Amino acid sequence: MSTYIKTQQQLAEEHLLEAAKEFEKCMKCGKCRSVCPVFKEFGNELYVARGKNKLAEKIVSGDLQITDKLEQAINECLNCKTCSANCPAGVSPEHVVLRLRWYITTQKGLHYFKALIFRQLLWRKWPITIGCAVVALAQRLLFGIGPKNPVRHLFPLFGFAKRRNFPQLALRSAQSMYPEVNRSKTGETKMRIGYFTGCAGNLIYTNVAKSVVDILTGYGYEVVIPKKQKCNGTPVMANGDYEGARRLMQHNFDLFRKYDLDAIVVACSSCGMSLKKEIKVFVEDSPELQEFTGKVWDINEFIDKNIEIKPEDLGPLPYKVTYHDPCHMVRGQGIKEQPRNILKQIPGVEFKEMKNADTCCGSAGSYCITHYETSIKINDHKIKDIQDAGVDIVATGCPTCVMHIDDNLAQHHSNEKAKFVIELLADSLRAKGTVIR
Amino acid sequence: MEKAVIDELVTIFGQSNVLTDREDMIAYSYDAAPVEVEPEAVVFPTTTEQVSRLMKLAYRVEVPVTPRGQGSGLSGGSIPLKKGIVLCMDRMTKVIEFDPANRLISVEAGLTTSDIDPIAAEAGLFYPPDPGSVAFSTIGGNVAENAGGLRGLKYGVTKDYVKMLTVVLPQGDIVKLGSKCVKHVAGFNTELMFVGSEGLLGIITEVTLALLPIPKHRESALAIFNTLDDAAQTVSDIIAAGVTPSTMEFMDNATLNAIQNFKDCGLPRDAEAVLLIETDGEEHSAKAEMVIVQSQVEKNNSRDFKIAQSTEERDKLFAGRRVALNALASVRPNLILEDATVKRSVLPEMVRGIIAIAQKYNIQVGIFGHAGDGNLHPTFLIDQKDKEEMARCHKAVDELFQLAIDLDGTISGEHGIGLEKKPYLENQIGAAGIKILQDFKRMFDPKNLLNPGKMFDMPGESA
């Protein structure tokens, strides 16, 4: 066991101390009011970064106790980092929010339902994998869940809004479809790359996993998919479970280090941010950790930097495409141009920049489960920008963005589809048939 | 606050527009000044009528009311010092009428100031005052504080654009002041009495503003100087040569170094001062003015002078100025941003005086600001947790204000008096000046219920 495990008391103190380091820098200028997507919907100072900083200050000074309203305010945050990206004083309010959520858990314990999911099901993993396969089967038997399907009345039992549209889950997980080691298809092996699929890439968007494996092996890389990889911990830590997230991050860190990898790629914006950056909050700093985080690449970033895609490798795709910047890519990892570069290379694709491409789509992972109505209101602005762009496809690099945008496009009876950049690239390569056959 | 009063507030504003929970009171206890007082209720009007009913209620039950926009003020003007009710105007955001033929726009007071420009731009117009908080302050707040900005030298400040106001007086009467005509002399200039009134005389609910045509062209340049005097002399000489630049921003050596430590913006660490200068108007006139600017800059021993040849180059020149406050904020845990203002002719004395004061009290300071209008932002870099340093900083601020007054300047160019500068106001305007303010206040608000305790004390009160 790592010496990094601390008592609840130590953790509580640490969370408050770390929160204080951030909110003490706040000049209270109010600039966050002009950028916060949640504040735009509520119009109450309590829900903007400045208000949350002040609440945190009151908690630390002992002037305010943990109340339902405080918890509610603290939970109204997308972790979209728009406030921190725009803060003149360099405050990261999302860290104040996360620390407060973790602190509240040290004082009140973790809700039994969250504990079940984060500490049992996600940790053991197989119940999730089997559960998803069962749901996938049910989805197919029910012939898709259209707007009038009576099955919708069951959604609220599982905490989902009745009008929500779900993506089709995969019958077979990506990790079970592929062997652990996928050899290069070119004869040479340029690098040995670990692929962190993420839950969505493994259980829902398996075509993303297929695209990653096909492209990398097709361009001479060996792709290793460690079977024992688990959730990266993002939803766990976002929901207040510091300990649960720490255990998952430590597990993945220890696991991937066993494989002697040259690089680790991810095709999910939040997994990427967590493996590059957030892991440093949970796993004790060491040269090994530095080496690990330095090896992590988002797939778009990896391809743009390392793979020379020749025009003759690509077949045409007849789409007008725009790109939506996931928060955890553009602000979380500073990845902005790379996915656009890839899209612009594809022959036949007409790339059109939409307005407000980098504003949050409101999904924010589990926020759109727990705060569906607000998350849809935030997403409505995104839908309008997509419609105004006049495109067939909105490409992006984050599964929960795809899920949320697709859901709301359907609710608007809009014909655009959300897709991953990497899927479009794989489609183009397949259309030509030289690199991916 | 009594439940009966809260019930009446709910009757006036509706349940969703009245807050009384402790957490909400915390969220409305502060603005951008370092003071906080929790109110007892927060209300959000959507009509002038509601504001009027609130004031009648407040006068009947004698509860203080403090108006607030987005809470971005730097002088504590929206702090509910005597508790009571915070009247938050930020849900009155309608555009009432856009009248391009007369170059006017009428909006509700809670509209964010930067939301005016996209509307005005459709007819090739713009609203010139651009305070640093333009994207997160309300136009009502801008009027109440008479906000300035970067373009003050050429385009003036908020008061130069206010044509008409709808105001709810402290006892609930609704009055419309001013006129949409270019010329009007029917009665006193009462609308201007409310510009800069800091919410003491009435609540502004609607504003009609004058707009100007967007200049067709801008020229931007960066001038680097080895001495403060050369930079300051250049400012005077440019204006003496007949040019009125739209922007003339100044940054001192400490600010330049803070910027370079924060992010490499290509600024020289050993320069004493830089000026960012813009001219605008028709292309030929903006260019001709820039030629004059260049000759004046070079006459004053500038070390380097660059005119931007493209938008990208312009952005590059301005990159440092844009991050100046961020850069200074990163030097120490906290900062105190002041806005003492002097005539541009005494700018070098002011800058040297500020640096001497900072040295005397051993406080780090960075100075940047709007050189053309003498509105400097000496920014003291401090750690609020260090009580001893804070005490020294307060003394430095005291001396800074006295310096501004001694140089025939003002303790506040654009942030207002509020709570932060209240102790210094009499030093500048004298006892007779305070008395006339008190007389005005008493005339409008005999019970002293609207934003009490700001700017000055009423007789018999003390801070």
Side-chain angles (χ1 to χ4, degrees):
Chain A
M1 273 291 174
S2 157
T3 53
Y4 216 49
I5 296 173
K6 294 170 181 161
T7 67
Q8 289 299 295
Q9 183 60 33
Q10 281 172 323
L11 276 176
E13 281 168 18
E14 181 185 310
H15 294 327
L16 292 184
L17 197 73
E18 291 296 324
K21 276 188 197 163
E22 289 300 322
F23 69 64
E24 278 168 359
K25 290 187 283 183
C26 176
M27 302 190 292
K28 300 197 268 103
C29 66
K31 189 171 186 187
C32 41
R33 290 174 60 104
S34 65
V35 298
C36 174
V38 172
F39 174 73
K40 275 193 185 126
E41 304 305 327
F42 282 90
N44 180 339
E45 177 83 20
L46 193 60
Y47 300 104
V48 81
R50 180 169 66 161
K52 288 167 187 160
N53 283 339
K54 183 53 84 176
L55 286 180
E57 185 188 319
K58 296 283 170 184
I59 289 283
V60 170
S61 71
D63 190 18
L64 180 69
Q65 303 306 311
I66 299 168
T67 60
D68 289 349
K69 185 145 188 170
L70 169 97
E71 281 195 69
Q72 185 229 342
I74 292 303
N75 287 333
E76 288 289 357
C77 171
L78 305 158
N79 191 12
C80 71
K81 301 177 190 294
T82 317
C83 52
S84 46
N86 285 283
C87 178
V91 184
S92 295
E94 74 275 18
H95 289 150
V96 175
V97 163
L98 288 172
R99 289 287 179 182
L100 270 199
R101 290 179 188 171
W102 301 338
Y103 168 74
I104 290 169
T105 301
T106 65
Q107 303 302 298
K108 294 183 61 178
L110 194 64
H111 187 275
Y112 74 92
F113 188 62
K114 287 183 179 177
L116 173 71
I117 296 176
F118 301 150
R119 296 191 179 175
Q120 296 297 326
L121 304 185
L122 277 184
W123 177 252
R124 291 175 199 279
K125 193 174 159 189
W126 64 265
I128 301 278
T129 310
I130 290 179
C132 282
V134 171
V135 172
L137 188 64
Q139 279 180 318
R140 282 161 179 82
L141 292 175
L142 296 164
F143 305 104
I145 301 168
K148 298 222 169 102
N149 195 315
V151 174
R152 287 184 175 276
H153 294 289
L154 298 176
F155 288 3
L157 291 178
F158 302 94
F160 295 112
K162 213 187 282 180
R163 63 190 171 110
R164 187 186 188 109
N165 301 300
F166 288 94
Q168 184 83 62
L169 303 196
L171 279 171
R172 262 191 89 179
S173 72
Q175 287 167 19
S176 69
M177 284 193 294
Y178 289 96
E180 197 159 72
V181 177
N182 299 270
R183 303 257 173 240
S184 153
K185 296 210 175 104
T186 60
E188 54 155 1
T189 299
K190 288 181 188 160
M191 273 190 198
R192 186 172 153 88
I193 298 177
Y195 173 32
F196 188 86
T197 64
C199 303
N202 185 31
L203 300 170
I204 306 172
Y205 299 109
T206 48
N207 187 44
V208 171
K210 182 169 163 43
S211 305
V212 170
V213 174
D214 285 353
I215 294 170
L216 291 178
T217 55
Y219 275 104
Y221 298 90
E222 181 170 293
V223 178
V224 182
I225 310 175
K227 296 273 180 197
K228 290 187 174 163
Q229 57 179 288
K230 298 181 198 281
C231 168
N232 74 77
T234 297
V236 182
M237 66 152 198
N239 280 282
D241 186 7
Y242 177 87
E243 267 304 291
R246 191 201 60 76
R247 188 164 67 149
L248 288 163
M249 295 209 193
Q250 186 74 48
H251 167 84
N252 288 323
F253 171 57
D254 294 338
L255 176 71
F256 273 74
R257 282 181 55 219
K258 289 181 192 151
Y259 284 84
D260 189 27
L261 301 165
D262 301 310
I264 296 166
V265 300
V266 289
C268 162
S269 65
S270 298
C271 294
M273 183 178 76
S274 124
L275 294 177
K276 280 181 186 177
K277 290 186 173 172
E278 284 165 340
I279 193 169
K280 293 175 187 170
V281 177
F282 296 86
V283 174
E284 194 166 17
D285 193 21
S286 64
E288 291 77 23
L289 181 67
Q290 304 272 347
E291 194 202 332
F292 174 88
T293 55
K295 271 187 205 170
V296 179
W297 300 74
D298 178 82
I299 185 70
N300 294 286
E301 184 185 25
F302 186 87
I303 292 172
D304 189 58
K305 180 80 193 287
N306 298 299
I307 301 182
E308 192 200 342
I309 299 174
K310 298 193 183 77
E312 59 266 30
D313 296 344
L314 296 163
L317 297 182
Y319 304 126
K320 292 187 183 116
V321 181
T322 191
Y323 178 74
H324 160 69
D325 288 289
C327 302
H328 291 175
M329 255 163 94
V330 65
R331 286 176 292 276
Q333 302 174 60
I335 298 172
K336 190 174 173 69
E337 294 308 324
Q338 297 91 325
R340 289 175 169 82
N341 293 343
I342 293 174
L343 289 171
K344 287 173 190 169
Q345 283 178 37
I346 301 175
V349 162
E350 185 186 334
F351 182 79
K352 297 173 121 185
E353 193 69 49
M354 69 168 151
K355 271 192 192 165
N356 307 312
D358 67 350
T359 56
C360 181
C361 74
S363 157
S366 52
Y367 181 89
C368 74
I369 299 171
T370 52
H371 301 75
Y372 189 69
E373 293 306 320
T374 317
S375 76
I376 281 290
K377 276 190 205 158
I378 296 169
N379 192 268
D380 285 344
H381 307 295
K382 184 59 71 180
I383 298 298
K384 182 171 183 309
D385 289 331
I386 293 169
Q387 290 171 334
D388 288 351
V391 291
D392 310 304
I393 288 175
V394 48
T396 188
C398 166
T400 68
C401 297
V402 168
M403 212 179 292
H404 201 50
I405 292 172
D406 261 347
D407 171 11
N408 205 19
L409 280 171
Q411 293 189 36
H412 281 78
H413 308 291
S414 216
N415 292 323
E416 299 88 348
K417 289 275 172 288
K419 279 207 141 201
F420 290 78
V421 173
I422 189 79
E423 289 182 288
L424 292 172
L425 176 61
D427 285 350
S428 170
L429 290 166
R430 279 190 202 106
K432 190 64 178 246
T434 49
V435 176
I436 305 178
R437 274 173 292 273
Chain B
M1 186 171 292
E2 285 170 43
K3 185 166 180 308
V5 179
I6 307 255
D7 288 345
E8 281 199 61
L9 292 177
V10 171
T11 310
I12 298 171
F13 296 98
Q15 191 70 60
S16 63
N17 291 317
V18 179
L19 306 176
T20 52
D21 289 343
R22 170 81 205 289
E23 295 84 350
D24 291 315
M25 297 309 103
I26 292 170
Y28 287 88
S29 67
Y30 56 79
D31 59 16
V35 198
E36 58 181 82
V37 178
E38 288 175 29
E40 295 159 273
V42 179
V43 297
F44 298 89
T46 45
T47 66
T48 302
E49 187 59 35
Q50 286 176 329
V51 178
S52 163
R53 287 172 69 190
L54 171 74
M55 290 319 298
K56 284 175 183 162
L57 168 66
Y59 248 76
R60 179 158 51 77
V61 298
E62 304 199 350
V63 175
V65 173
T66 304
R68 176 189 178 94
Q70 297 219 48
S72 60
L74 288 155
S75 55
S78 63
I79 305 293
L81 187 65
K82 307 276 158 104
K83 295 185 155 287
I85 298 164
V86 161
L87 171 61
C88 192
M89 299 296 293
D90 65 357
R91 294 186 191 171
M92 287 187 69
T93 57
K94 285 201 264 302
V95 176
I96 300 161
E97 189 191 13
F98 175 41
D99 177 5
N102 292 302
R103 292 185 186 157
L104 295 173
I105 190 165
S106 300
V107 300
E108 289 185 337
L111 187 74
T112 300
T113 304
S114 64
D115 288 348
I116 294 170
D117 269 352
I119 301 163
E122 284 172 24
L125 300 171
F126 81 119
Y127 175 66
D130 60 343
S133 61
V134 67
F136 48 98
S137 57
T138 63
I139 188 66
N142 286 184
V143 173
E145 299 289 331
N146 192 7
L150 268 64
R151 300 187 281 222
L153 170 66
K154 179 165 184 178
Y155 291 105
V157 297
T158 305
K159 73 173 175 196
D160 301 308
Y161 296 87
V162 173
K163 302 298 292 178
M164 279 187 84
L165 295 177
T166 301
V167 177
V168 176
L169 297 177
Q171 302 186 55
D173 298 323
I174 300 168
V175 288
K176 278 187 189 286
L177 309 169
S179 161
K180 290 185 179 176
C181 298
V182 173
K183 297 175 173 177
H184 82 100
V185 291
F188 294 152
N189 253 337
T190 40
E191 69 277 16
L192 284 188
M193 187 178 276
F194 290 87
V195 182
S197 65
E198 301 193 10
L200 267 72
L201 303 182
I203 297 136
I204 299 156
T205 60
E206 293 175 7
V207 185
T208 300
L209 300 163
L211 304 171
L212 292 183
I214 299 172
K216 295 224 168 50
H217 186 80
R218 346 187 234 193
E219 286 284 302
S220 310
L222 177 77
I224 297 168
F225 296 92
N226 287 328
T227 72
L228 274 175
D229 288 285
D230 286 339
Q233 194 58 45
T234 305
V235 172
S236 299
D237 287 354
I238 288 172
I239 292 163
V243 176
T244 308
S246 55
T247 300
M248 195 142 51
E249 288 290 297
F250 165 88
M251 292 186 283
D252 77 342
N253 177 272
T255 306
L256 294 175
N257 277 289
I259 291 168
Q260 286 304 104
N261 290 338
F262 184 74
K263 179 185 171 192
D264 183 6
C265 295
L267 295 167
R269 286 175 177 274
D270 57 340
E272 277 303 307
V274 303
L275 292 173
L276 277 159
I277 304 165
E278 280 198 341
T279 57
D280 66 4
E282 292 293 330
E283 183 168 352
H284 65 272
S285 71
K287 284 193 164 150
E289 287 191 326
M290 194 49 93
V291 170
I292 301 174
V293 166
Q294 179 162 12
S295 67
Q296 297 305 321
V297 166
E298 280 163 3
K299 193 179 89 187
N300 284 294
N301 320 309
S302 78
R303 184 162 116 186
D304 197 10
F305 183 75
K306 270 183 286 211
I307 298 178
Q309 301 300 334
S310 62
T311 315
E312 293 77 52
E313 276 189 42
R314 177 187 183 275
D315 288 346
K316 240 171 124 182
L317 291 188
F318 273 72
R321 174 62 183 90
R322 266 197 303 275
V323 298
L325 190 59
N326 308 42
L328 288 168
S330 69
V331 175
R332 299 291 312 276
N334 310 98
L335 56 77
I336 292 180
L337 176 71
E338 289 299 349
D339 66 324
T341 299
V342 292
K343 295 169 293 183
R344 55 182 168 262
S345 58
V346 293
L347 217 52
E349 286 92 321
M350 185 67 179
V351 172
R352 269 196 297 270
I354 295 166
I355 292 169
I357 291 168
Q359 278 168 355
K360 178 174 166 190
Y361 292 103
N362 190 21
I363 303 278
Q364 275 181 276
V365 70
I367 308 169
F368 64 98
H370 324 308
D373 51 34
N375 179 195
L376 290 177
H377 290 306
T379 305
F380 295 104
L381 313 173
I382 39 128
D383 182 355
Q384 278 178 356
K385 280 187 290 193
D386 183 343
K387 298 290 170 220
E388 191 269 332
E389 185 181 44
M390 284 304 287
R392 278 186 281 128
C393 186
H394 282 304
K395 284 187 188 155
V397 169
D398 289 355
E399 277 200 29
L400 165 71
F401 291 149
Q402 197 53 49
L403 173 68
I405 293 168
D406 292 344
L407 290 171
D408 204 12
T410 175
I411 57 175
S412 181
E414 55 185 2
H415 297 167
I417 301 300
L419 288 171
E420 286 298 285
K421 299 199 182 75
K422 182 170 131 182
Y424 309 97
L425 183 59
E426 190 168 343
N427 297 347
Q428 182 178 331
I429 66 172
I434 294 284
K435 176 152 189 315
I436 194 168
L437 296 181
Q438 291 168 334
D439 289 347
F440 277 129
K441 172 73 173 163
R442 196 179 298 108
M443 182 177 79
F444 285 97
D445 183 15
K447 289 189 180 175
N448 192 22
L449 292 173
L450 189 61
N451 208 2
K454 302 292 171 65
M455 204 188 293
F456 51 85
D457 285 320
M458 292 304 282
E461 253 183 4
S462 65

